[in-house]
Each structure stands twice: as C-alpha cells, then as structure tokens.
Amino acid sequence: MTFEELLPILAQATLETGQMVFWSTLLTAVLGLPIGVLLVTTDRGGLTPMPAVKAVLGAVVNVGRSLPFIVLMVAILPFTRLITGTTIGTVAAIVPLTLGAVPFYARLVETALRGVGREVVEAAQAMGSRRVTVVTKVLLPETLPELIAGLTVTVVALIGYSAMAGAIGGGGLGDLAIRYGYQRFDTGVMVVTVVLLIVLVQLIQILGDAVARRLSHR
C-alpha cells in the first residue's frame, strides 16, 4: 500500500481511536471517581462506615480488574448490543472500554484519597463541615494532582485497550493494524500504526504530567 493510499485510512483510524478514548475516558471519570470515593468513605473509619457496602463494592471492582480486557469484550457482547444496538464499530467499543477502565480508575482514586492525612479530615469536621463538604472541599482538592495523574495512566491504558478492540471489529488503529498490517502482511502499515500509538501515548503522558505538576501545591 502506498503512502497516498494509506493516509486517508490512517486518518480515519486515528479519528476513531480518538473518539473511543475520549468518550470512554469521560465516562470512566464520571463513574470511576464516585466509586473510588465510596470505597474510601464507606470503609471502617471512613466518613460513612458501611462495611457491607464496602465489601460488595470492593468485590465488584476486584472482579472488573481481574478480567483480561479481551475476555471482558467478548463476555459482555450481549450487554453491548443491548446498549448500542450493535457489537461492532467505534460506538460499541466504548462500552467494554468504559467497563474495563472504571474499576482500574476507581482503585487509583481510592489510593489517592487514602493519602490525605486523617488530621486534615478531622480538622474540617471540627469546623462543622458536612460529609459531602469534606469530600468536595477537602479530599478531592487535596488529591487533585494525584487524580489527574491516575486519569492519565487510565487514558494510556485505554489507548492500549482500544487497539485490542480492533480484534473484534472495534475500529481504530488496532483494526487497521490487524486488517492491513497482519492479515495482509503489510509490514509498513504495522510499523506506522505502532509508531503512531507510541506517539499518542507519549503525548498523553506528557500532557497529563504537566497538568498534574501545575496543580500540585506541594
């Protein structure tokens, strides 16, 4: 395949990967952040101790994290079809991408929040702050750089997941690498795709690190 022939296909695949990663990242942040908060606040010694809730939620998160992504994609095909009406394409790939990343990010959020000194929380409570206020005005602002760093790691993982999504018709750069690079034995396409994925990961990591450093007040 010549470069002129590859360029529009590569541009379309890159756009599809960007769409998958963007929407799954957004959904992961929206879902993973509150789950991570609940893992901390419902634990023993937390703001709202509920051991039973913590145990169930922790078990669900652990199951989600333990499943290899390729297995997860296949296992939830009926659910993906129920949500999107199809099991192939960029939109369909967003479902397993999100479900695979949410438990991962939730644990990163939990780890970040546990780094806040208990004396800080107790000081806020002594000043009459309600539980919701402690979370929104103390825990989250104190750990914002760590949360951004964790989200950066999650986005990098999602780029890798999106490439695997190409194995079952998810579109994007992974699909391009499989259909043209692997199945048609086109080494050039494979090399270009790999290089582009590496560049994307590096750019995301550099951007995320820069934002985290800027937000850090330590």
Side-chain angles (χ1 to χ4, degrees):
M1 180 183 294
T2 65
F3 181 75
E4 289 76 15
E5 294 172 329
L6 174 62
L7 190 58
I9 300 174
L10 187 63
Q12 179 62 32
T14 303
L15 177 62
E16 290 174 354
T17 293
Q19 290 173 336
M20 285 189 287
V21 173
F22 173 79
W23 288 110
S24 56
T25 298
L26 181 62
L27 291 171
T28 296
V30 170
L31 298 173
L33 183 62
I35 292 175
V37 170
L38 284 174
L39 286 171
V40 174
T41 57
T42 59
D43 199 5
R44 288 184 176 84
L47 293 172
T48 311
M50 288 186 284
V53 173
K54 168 65 191 315
V56 172
L57 195 58
V60 172
V61 169
N62 287 339
V63 169
R65 289 185 62 199
S66 65
L67 288 175
F69 181 68
I70 192 70
V71 175
L72 175 66
M73 282 195 301
V74 175
I76 66 168
L77 283 177
F79 178 72
T80 300
R81 183 181 292 108
L82 177 65
I83 297 297
T84 66
T86 181
T87 58
I88 60 174
T90 302
V91 175
I94 293 173
V95 177
L97 285 171
T98 301
L99 292 181
V102 165
F104 180 75
Y105 185 56
R107 283 300 185 191
L108 293 178
V109 171
E110 179 189 15
T111 301
L113 295 179
R114 290 192 187 283
V116 178
R118 183 159 184 81
E119 64 278 4
V120 177
V121 176
E122 291 175 347
Q125 291 176 314
M127 294 173 63
S129 298
R130 297 191 304 172
R131 295 164 183 167
V132 174
T133 304
V134 172
V135 172
T136 58
K137 301 296 184 181
V138 178
L139 291 178
L140 295 181
E142 282 289 321
T143 58
L144 190 55
E146 289 82 2
L147 295 177
I148 295 298
L151 189 60
T152 301
V153 173
T154 304
V155 174
V156 170
L158 280 169
I159 293 175
Y161 290 167
S162 71
M164 282 187 278
I168 60 170
L173 292 170
D175 180 58
L176 176 64
I178 291 172
R179 286 193 297 118
Y180 289 89
Y182 177 70
Q183 293 179 349
R184 301 186 183 184
F185 304 101
D186 194 328
T187 305
V189 173
M190 183 67 76
V191 170
V192 170
T193 305
V194 170
V195 169
L196 189 52
L197 285 169
I198 292 173
V199 170
L200 285 175
V201 167
Q202 294 301 316
L203 289 176
I204 292 296
Q205 191 66 60
I206 291 171
L207 178 62
D209 290 345
V211 173
R213 283 196 301 268
R214 186 173 183 82
L215 292 174
S216 180
H217 54 272
R218 298 176 183 176

